[in-house]
Amino acid sequence: MKIRVNGAWREVLDSGAAAATLEALLHRFGFGNATVATAVNGEFVPHGARGRCLVQEGDRIEVLAPMQGG
Amino acid sequence: MLDLYDVQLASRLLLGTARYPSPSIMAEAVRAAGAAMVTVSLRREASGERAGQGFWSLVRSLGVRVLPNTAGCHTVKEAVTTAHMARELFDTPWIKLEVIGEDDTLQPDVIGLVEAARVLVQEDFRVLPYCTEDLVVADRLVTAGCEVLMPWGAPIGSGRGLNNPFGLRALRAHFPQVALIVDAGIGMPSHAAAAMELGFDGVLINSAVAQARQPVAMARAFAQAVEAGHAAFLAGPIPARDMAVPSTPLIGKAFLA
């Protein structure tokens, strides 16, 4: 399936429902245990809910980290 | 001490962390300023570079309080969602609330700002709204539960100082019990001193320090200016007059005509 991660399209091979959770995808994309906050289709997904959040074709995922700010 | 919500900060100078020549210069400027709180943001992380992880480690090593912002948000939904993410990411209910209404001036969308503040206060956030000197908007924000207001001095990054000192003075007079911090547009330490001389509780500076030729020296200068302005306010300055009042007494002056 194709999904958008931080604005870029990514192709994800379908490996079953477990692999399509937000948590699994974060690991697959190399975010691992990084300090990040996530949203799917504009909705905040808390850390504890990532394992239950199923990502589908066309979904928009935002992975945000602490950055400089004024 | 600067009292904001349930916290006392040792410095009345807040610093932003953006636009520095390097992370190490940013850290050095924060230390030189003696800032007790710095603003940060949330932005997309690149999985390979992990830039955000490095920045976060550096900020935590400074031992200062962090104030996440909702910079770049144009709608209530964007700002509220960003605040939710910030609360988890930074483990703090504090939020510098920005709802931007216009991209040239980066002025707040004050209608959206009040609505977002209302929502976030009800969710137990400690909201520090980036606003204007408008008294009606300020009243709405305070009624919504904000205990701090952060009016602009001038457009973000413009360095113009206090565009409307009369409006800021009126804001101070109308809300004597609310913590007021001038945020945005300050360019020189004299601007920061002027804000403190008006009786403001603090200033938030970013570009004026980060983009100075020598950011660390400028950070130090701002710290001195904030301290001087606050001390001057407490010392009770003389009022301005139109005509002269001689300093030297006339009594005892010789007649030498």
Side-chain angles (χ1 to χ4, degrees):
Chain A
M1 64 176 170
K2 286 183 79 172
I3 58 175
R4 284 189 85 130
V5 181
N6 285 351
W9 285 105
R10 301 284 290 262
E11 184 78 50
V12 178
L13 293 176
D14 187 0
S15 309
T21 63
L22 179 59
E23 185 176 44
L25 289 171
L26 286 176
H27 279 277
R28 201 190 305 189
F29 293 144
F31 291 106
N33 296 319
T35 302
V36 294
T38 51
V40 177
N41 298 331
E43 301 296 325
F44 169 51
V45 179
H47 185 276
R50 291 175 191 166
R52 302 186 301 276
C53 176
L54 285 177
V55 176
Q56 298 174 331
E57 175 82 28
D59 279 352
R60 289 178 292 111
I61 299 174
E62 295 287 346
V63 185
L64 305 185
M67 291 292 181
Q68 294 84 345
Chain B
M1 301 293 270
L2 173 58
D3 291 312
L4 300 179
Y5 288 102
D6 50 352
V7 166
Q8 277 195 328
L9 298 175
S11 170
R12 295 177 180 275
L13 174 56
L14 286 59
L15 275 191
T17 56
R19 307 187 75 196
Y20 285 85
S22 70
S24 62
I25 290 177
M26 182 272 291
E28 217 178 321
V30 170
R31 282 190 284 264
M37 185 154 72
V38 300
T39 49
V40 294
S41 75
L42 298 82
R43 288 293 182 261
R44 288 170 167 173
E45 172 74 300
S47 61
E49 288 172 28
R50 299 279 191 109
Q53 312 307 301
F55 170 74
W56 186 222
S57 290
L58 181 62
V59 169
R60 278 183 301 165
S61 74
L62 294 172
V64 296
R65 191 171 197 89
V66 292
L67 177 63
N69 68 27
T70 65
C73 292
H74 290 75
T75 67
V76 173
K77 182 183 182 302
E78 272 188 319
V80 169
T81 300
T82 301
H84 291 163
M85 297 173 82
R87 180 165 55 183
E88 180 183 270
L89 193 61
F90 296 103
D91 192 24
T92 176
W94 287 50
I95 192 78
K96 175 184 166 181
L97 181 60
E98 299 181 45
V99 182
I100 301 302
E102 207 281 327
D103 285 337
D104 285 326
T105 60
L106 295 180
Q107 68 188 78
D109 167 1
V110 295
I111 297 166
L113 178 69
V114 171
E115 177 57 26
R118 189 179 298 123
V119 169
L120 293 174
V121 167
Q122 285 175 353
E123 295 176 357
D124 291 328
F125 279 85
R126 305 291 188 267
V127 178
L128 287 78
Y130 159 62
C131 57
T132 66
E133 67 276 31
D134 187 299
L135 295 179
V136 177
V137 172
D139 187 63
R140 298 278 196 273
L141 290 167
V142 171
T143 301
C146 295
E147 296 177 21
V148 181
L149 297 175
M150 302 215 293
W152 64 354
I156 295 170
S158 68
R160 300 189 70 81
L162 308 185
N163 268 356
N164 184 7
F166 310 102
L168 291 173
R169 194 162 64 196
L171 190 71
R172 176 74 283 175
H174 274 70
F175 299 96
Q177 304 305 320
V178 176
L180 299 180
I181 296 172
V182 171
D183 169 26
I186 287 181
M188 295 283 287
S190 54
H191 300 155
M196 300 306 293
E197 287 162 8
L198 284 176
F200 276 69
D201 299 283
V203 295
L204 172 51
I205 315 286
N206 196 150
S207 298
V209 170
Q211 294 280 289
R213 198 164 60 244
Q214 297 182 17
V216 177
M218 188 60 79
R220 209 170 283 125
F222 266 101
Q224 291 167 0
V226 169
E227 201 174 322
H230 182 62
F233 171 72
L234 293 177
I238 59 169
R241 303 172 73 108
D242 289 332
M243 297 299 159
V245 176
S247 315
T248 306
L250 289 173
I251 295 175
K253 178 182 171 305
F255 179 72
L256 299 173

